[in-house]
Structures are given as C-alpha cells and as structure tokens.
C-alpha cells in the first residue's frame, strides 16, 4: 500500500503550471508550505522513470464477451475510452444494449445449468487457481493497461490492484470445495446467475472482488464494468479464454448504466452485487425490490481518520496521506475527514503540509508518481465544485505549490482547515484528493464527530494506547476500522458498510455467504 512507500521529491518535471482546470479556486496560500520543515525548492531532482507501455497492445475496438466469444453490440454503437492523463482516446468500446444483456444472461444461465453446477467443486477451484496464476503471469500487462485507462499511478496498479486481484482468485479457489465449512450444519447452494455492476476507481480489483467468490460458490456471472474503465475487464475476458473457462461462465457486457439496470432486473438473475455511488445503489435496490433477489451494495463513504495527541505523529501523517491521496482520493473508504486532537493540531498540520509538499503529481506511468490523473473530466468538475463550496462556506484551503501537466485531468492535493461539520466538504463524498480537517478535545467528542455522517464504511484511529483503540473502535459506526494504519486490504478480511455505505460484505468467508443460498 502507499503507506509503505518512501516520500518522493516535490521537484516538478514539467514547467507548465495550471490550476486544476475546473472551478477549484486559485489556492490562496499555496505557494510555500508555512511550516518549520521543508520549504522552497527541493535539493533532489528525480529523473523520469516511465514504465514502458510496450507490453500492452490496445486494440482499436473491443466487442462484448458473451458465451466465451467476442461479439459486436446489437445496436452497432461504440463509446470511446480515454487515457485521463493525456485526454487521448484509447479504444472504441462496444455499447451493449438490453438485448445484449439478455444474450449474456441466457449464456450464463445455460452455462450454469449444463456445465458449472455439474462440475465437481474441486474442478471449479482449478479454474480459479488458473485464473490467479495467469493474472500473476500477465501482471505487468494488467498494471499498464489499468494505469492507462484509469489514471492511477503505475506504482499502485502494479503493487496493489493487480496483486490483490490475483490474491482474491487464489483465496476463493481455496473455498470452492469447502463451502459446507462456510455454512456449518446447512447445505450450501449457488444462486445461479449473478449480475454484477462495478465502478471505475478499482476496475480490475472490483471485478476480482465480485467474480472470484461468485464462481467459487458455483454461480455464473454477467458483469458490467464502468464506461470510463472497461479495458482490464476486457483483458480479463482474454484470461478466461486462456484459462479455458467453460463458455458462458463469465460474461462481460460493456455499456451505459441502463444496460446495467437491465442485467440486474432480469428475472433470471438471482443475485445482484453492486459497487458504486449511493444514488445508483438506491435506484438498483428500488428496481429489484420485491423480486426476491439477493443484493449486496458497496456504496460511498466519508471516513474519519482520528489522530489522538499520543499518536506517533510522523507515522500518523503517513497514514493520513495514504488515507486520502491513495488513488487520488477516488476511494470509497478514503480517510477524507481528518479528526485531530486540538492539543497537537498545529504541529500535526505543519508536518502534514510538509509531507504534502513532497508528493509528486503527474504522469501516472512514471514509477515515482504519487498522485496520478483524475479518472474523468466529469469527476474533475465534481471535485472542483465541492472544493469551491468549501471555500465559499468559509473553510480555509491550502494546496502545495506544484506544477501540473499541461494535458490530462489533474487536481492538486488539497487540505481544508477551519471546517465546520455542516460544510458540504465535511458531509459529502468528494472522491478526490481533498482532506477536510476538524479538531476535537475529548475522546467522546471524537467519537461523536466521527459518527456524525450519513455514511459508515471505514475509519482510522491513531494512538499509542491499545485500550483507546478498543474503546473507540467499538463505538464507531463503520464497517472497517483500521488502527495505526489505513487502507489495508486482504482477501481474507470482510469489507462493507453501515448506513448509506450499503449492506452485505465482500471478502473473507462473509463475502462467500453473499453468493450462497443455504438450506
Ligand atoms: P456510479 O455512477 O454509481 O457507477 C457505478 C457503476 O454503476 C458503473 O458501472 C455505472 O455505469 C453503473 N450505473 C450507473 N447508473 C446505473 C443504473 N441506473 N443502473 C445500473 N447501473 C448503473 O459510481 P461511480 O461514479 O462509477 O463510482 C464512484 C462511487 O462509487 C463513489 O460514490 C464511491 O464511493 C463508490 N464506490 C464504492 C465502493 C465500495 S467498496 N463501497 C468502491 C468503489 C466505489 P457507467 O459507468 O456506464 O455510468
């Protein structure tokens, strides 16, 4: 995870400076970190360290993956996927229609009845192991493709997204022939066909979180990737072919949200899994209400990262930086609210500004880059609008002095202080590199403020006292609470939310339950 990485020099490699490109206000106090630590020009200069894209062949056009074959969309239309770091088109992507969704569901249903449900669980496990191995063998190809399509730094796609995706297939392969241990005393059964819709922030990893447990439990799958990041899902189709997965067991239908809706509402789809925004999650829940389908929703978050006065401050600074700037802050469980104890707030914020000044923002394909490109123009505009609201509502903005590439969608890491709990930046999910700071005096106040949100996905606690960790963690209304660390993911650990962050769990044995009916 990024917290393991060492700081990088802030020396800009590109000279052209520009504001974030949207309504982000010109950072008033942005020029030099107003701290006692590092300031001014860095004495270090990093040579460019670009990852080669030679290993990847991006085709001009991609079709749908239905019944083991690539198919043209029934409507004949395509959409374009762009490289967010350059704004250049990467490929034409089939715009799947409800008729295509219907074909994919038919293929998945047939594969379930005739092949997958008849296989011995040990045989299903072999396919999952094979997929995991192929992902590992082709990891560089996946990492480069993911970075080009999503804008995330190659360091993250290489060290986090792809290895974790492979680990999920490996972990759930182990469960495939042990399902009765996951539901002791009952008889586990697959649902049949599952419909899955995933977002753009971790395209391959979200695919793995969804497909691995579904197949291990004996289901077949129709998955819709996000429109802005379809490429690794389509590369995964190639992995399915390479693993000789029976036709129709995995189907990938690219297309707009309406195509996702026709997948999840189809009566042949017995279980639905969605990761994305709370608003679309609500639409899906309404759309399938009364149909008796299983449903898991992994939605948004507004996590509190709570720093107590006895915390190891430099480690906590690293954890806060990792919590909000990992993947440009486009993370559902991002630690987007910093709750810092008043007695250390000034010193902590000075150290945080120093650390932020060392972050390298720019070409995601450069191995030294800490913060890459924002996934889309629409997301840039949404971040800019919320940042502008923070300024308008009276919070104080600080951004490090740094030059941004002249092309692509880049947003400076942003720190807000003087934030009131009523401000939109304290309440709404920004899904960008923006941290809102709120102070507190007592443990009770920290808990009260941390829980004062409509979301409940994750939280972080920084303190030297184990007893305080236990006290605070048990009082926080969040599905995942990290102590003296942040953004740690493991296939064996369940992940999911409370309140408007959704319901159901992914990962671990709990993640398997969602894909099983037990009698
Ligand atoms: P959404 O707009 O919700 O999109 C997610 C997926 O749903 C995309 O594939 C999208 O397709 C599809 N979709 C859109 N409208 C739909 C509809 N009416 N019916 C069915 N599918 C529909 O979210 P996003 O912008 O991609 O992702 C950002 C949000 O996801 C954030 O709020 C973030 O917190 C959340 N998120 C949560 C988690 C977890 S684990 N809780 C993980 C990642 C992201 P198109 O791309 O074609 O629009």
């Amino acid at each position: 995870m990024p917290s393991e990485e060492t700081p990088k020099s802030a020396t800009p490699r590109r000279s052209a400076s520009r504001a974030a490109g949207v309504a982000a206000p010109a950072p008033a106090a942005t020029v030099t970190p107003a701290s006692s630590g590092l300031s001014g020009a860095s004495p270090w200069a990093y040579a460019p360290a670009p990852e080669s894209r030679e290993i990847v062949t991006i085709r001009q056009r991609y079709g749908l993956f239905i019944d083991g074959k690539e198919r043209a969309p029934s409507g004949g239309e395509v959409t374009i996927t762009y490289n967010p770091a350059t704004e250049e088109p990467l490929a034409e992507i089939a715009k799947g229609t409800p008729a295509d969704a219907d074909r994919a569901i038919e293929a998945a249903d047939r594969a379930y009845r005739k092949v997958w449900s008849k296989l011995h669980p040990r045989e299903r496990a072999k396919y999952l192991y094979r997929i995991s191995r192929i992902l590992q063998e082709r990891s560089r190809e996946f990492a480069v493709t993911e970075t080009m399509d999503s804008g995330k730094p190659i360091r993250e796609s290489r060290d986090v997204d792809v290895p974790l995706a492979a680990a999920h297939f490996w972990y759930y392969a182990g469960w495939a022939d042990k399902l009765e241990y996951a539901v002791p005393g009952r008889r586990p059964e697959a649902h049949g066909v599952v419909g899955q819709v995933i977002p753009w922030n971790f395209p391959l990893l979200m695919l793995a979180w969804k497909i691995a447990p579904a197949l291990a439990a004996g289901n077949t799958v129709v998955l819709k990737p996000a429109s802005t990041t379809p490429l690794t899902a389509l590369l995964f189709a190639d992995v399915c072919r390479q693993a000789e997965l029976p036709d129709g067991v995995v189907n990938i239908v690219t297309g707009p949200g309406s195509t996702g809706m026709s997948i999840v509402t189809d009566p042949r789809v017995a279980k639905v899994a969605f990761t994305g925004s709370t608003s679309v999650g609500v639409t899906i829940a309404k759309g399938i209400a009364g149909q008796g389908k299983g449903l898991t929703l992994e939605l948004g978050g507004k996590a509190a990262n709570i720093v107590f006065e006895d915390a190891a401050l430099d480690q906590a600074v690293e954890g806060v930086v990792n919590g909000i700037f990992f993947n440009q802050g486009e993370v559902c469980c991002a630690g987007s609210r910093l709750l810092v104890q008043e007695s250390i707030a000034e010193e902590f914020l000075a150290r945080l500004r120093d650390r932020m000044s060392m972050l390298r923002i720019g070409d995601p394909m450069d191995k030294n880059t800490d913060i890459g490109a924002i996934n889309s123009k629409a997301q840039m505009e949404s971040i800019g609008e919320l940042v502008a609201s923070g300024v308008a509502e009276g919070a104080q903005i600080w951004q490090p002095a740094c030059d941004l590439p002249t092309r692509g969608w880049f947003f400076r890491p942003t720190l807000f202080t003087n934030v009131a709990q009523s401000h939109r930046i304290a309440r709404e999910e920004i899904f960008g590199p923006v941290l809102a700071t709120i102070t507190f005096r007592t443990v009770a106040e920290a808990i009260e403020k941390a829980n004062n949100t409509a979301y409940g996905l994750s939280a972080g606690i920084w303190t030297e006292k184990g007893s305080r960790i236990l006290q605070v963690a048990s009082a926080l209304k969040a599905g995942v609470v990290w102590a003296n660390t942040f953004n740690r993911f493991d296939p064996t650990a369940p992940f999911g939310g409370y309140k408007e962050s959704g319901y159901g769990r992914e990962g671990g044995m709990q993640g398997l339950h969602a894909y099983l009916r037990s009698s």
Side-chain angles (χ1 to χ4, degrees):
M1 302 304 297
S3 56
E4 292 159 4
E5 308 291 340
T6 47
K8 304 293 188 299
S9 149
T11 307
R13 283 172 291 106
R14 299 169 193 247
S15 56
S17 178
R18 67 171 189 156
V22 287
T30 66
V31 186
T32 308
S35 73
S36 56
L38 299 170
S39 62
S42 163
W44 305 292
Y46 275 67
E51 174 68 62
S52 166
R53 53 171 289 181
E54 298 266 296
I55 193 156
V56 168
T57 308
I58 295 182
R59 287 157 39 196
Q60 195 189 338
R61 182 177 282 208
Y62 289 84
L64 310 163
F65 182 59
I66 297 177
D67 208 12
K69 288 155 210 77
E70 183 166 349
R71 294 180 191 269
S74 60
E77 287 185 60
V78 294
T79 55
I80 310 282
T81 185
Y82 291 88
N83 182 338
T86 61
E87 300 175 45
E88 284 162 4
L90 287 170
E92 292 173 352
I93 307 294
K95 189 171 176 185
T97 62
D100 296 316
D102 179 71
R103 278 203 293 175
I105 294 164
E106 194 181 305
D109 188 39
R110 195 169 46 243
Y112 175 71
R113 286 184 288 103
K114 300 205 164 154
V115 185
W116 201 238
S117 62
K118 299 219 165 24
L119 271 189
H120 192 283
R122 261 201 312 275
E123 295 304 311
R124 289 204 306 264
K126 283 185 195 168
Y127 286 106
L128 290 171
Y129 281 125
R130 210 179 279 171
I131 288 171
S132 178
R133 285 206 191 92
I134 296 170
L135 283 175
Q136 289 169 66
E137 282 161 16
R138 298 177 65 175
S139 60
R140 240 183 95 215
E141 189 185 353
F142 270 94
V144 170
T145 307
E146 193 75 303
T147 284
M148 289 174 69
D149 204 21
S150 72
K152 66 175 68 205
I154 186 72
R155 220 155 40 89
E156 293 179 6
S157 43
R158 183 195 63 195
D159 299 347
V160 181
D161 297 58
V162 179
L164 269 177
H168 270 81
F169 279 98
W170 195 265
Y171 171 72
Y172 280 111
W175 271 113
D177 61 350
K178 303 175 194 68
L179 297 179
E180 62 275 20
Y181 295 99
V183 285
R186 288 178 293 160
R187 205 161 58 88
E189 273 179 273
H191 286 279
V193 179
V194 304
Q196 306 177 322
V197 179
I198 57 172
W200 44 259
N201 57 346
F202 292 91
L204 178 69
L205 187 57
M206 289 300 108
L207 172 150
W209 280 26
K210 299 267 179 295
I211 293 185
L215 297 193
N219 304 279
T220 57
V221 165
V222 178
L223 177 134
K224 191 198 93 64
S227 291
T228 59
T229 53
L231 287 183
T232 45
L234 296 167
L235 198 55
F236 182 81
D238 198 40
V239 169
C240 294
R241 278 189 290 254
Q242 196 181 336
E244 295 175 6
L245 192 70
D247 291 350
V249 171
V250 167
N251 303 274
I252 294 175
V253 179
T254 47
S258 52
T259 302
M261 201 53 162
S262 35
I263 294 171
V264 299
T265 51
D266 189 288
R268 290 164 294 177
V269 169
K271 145 89 188 150
V272 172
F274 171 76
T275 295
S277 60
T278 299
S279 59
V280 173
V282 169
T283 308
I284 287 179
K286 282 185 188 159
I288 67 170
Q291 292 187 5
K293 296 177 197 273
L295 174 63
T296 37
L297 294 175
E298 300 282 2
L299 309 174
K302 192 73 191 174
N305 214 348
I306 312 170
V307 182
F308 289 98
E309 61 190 0
D310 63 338
L313 292 195
D314 285 333
Q315 283 91 326
V317 165
E318 280 308 304
V320 168
V321 165
N322 169 26
I324 185 61
F325 301 122
F326 172 50
N327 202 36
Q328 300 72 244
E330 296 166 326
V331 183
C332 49
C333 53
S336 52
R337 287 183 299 150
L338 166 63
L339 265 59
V340 59
Q341 199 151 12
E342 205 173 277
S343 50
I344 54 156
E346 200 177 320
E347 183 184 352
F348 188 81
L349 289 169
R351 293 192 198 196
L352 181 59
R353 288 188 191 101
D354 280 351
R355 181 63 181 88
M356 285 173 64
S357 301
M358 290 189 283
L359 293 169
R360 293 171 63 88
I361 301 122
D363 181 6
M365 289 290 280
D366 192 305
K367 291 170 213 154
N368 290 321
T369 292
D370 296 305
I371 300 184
I374 301 298
N375 183 254
S376 65
K377 189 161 180 278
Q379 186 58 20
M380 272 288 284
E381 285 165 2
S382 162
I383 297 169
E385 195 266 318
L386 274 159
V387 165
S389 84
V391 175
E393 289 187 312
Q396 195 172 345
I397 187 172
W398 183 88
Q399 295 169 316
C402 60
D403 291 347
L404 302 180
T406 49
R407 293 197 72 191
W409 302 308
F410 291 89
F411 203 97
R412 286 193 179 83
T414 301
L415 174 68
F416 274 109
T417 50
N418 280 347
V419 178
Q421 298 217 75
S422 56
H423 289 167
R424 283 181 67 200
I425 54 169
R427 289 185 290 110
E428 293 179 30
E429 186 179 44
I430 300 176
F431 227 56
V434 182
L435 181 64
T437 308
I438 295 170
T439 58
F440 67 88
R441 289 184 184 170
T442 64
V443 173
E445 189 186 349
I447 293 169
E448 195 277 322
K449 286 182 166 170
N451 285 337
N452 186 4
T453 168
Y455 294 107
L457 191 54
S458 66
I461 304 168
W462 297 84
T463 172
E464 287 208 332
K465 291 190 179 61
S467 56
R468 181 170 291 159
I469 291 172
L470 294 174
Q471 177 199 3
V472 176
S474 57
L476 291 176
K477 294 277 179 289
V480 181
V481 181
W482 286 290
N484 294 325
T485 186
F486 207 90
N487 273 343
R488 295 273 158 188
F489 303 100
D490 190 298
T492 66
F495 182 93
Y498 278 78
K499 303 192 277 185
E500 289 192 14
S501 292
Y503 45 79
R505 294 292 178 264
E506 291 187 310
M509 192 175 66
Q510 291 80 354
L512 199 60
H513 289 163
Y515 288 99
L516 289 171
R517 287 181 293 142
S518 40
S519 47

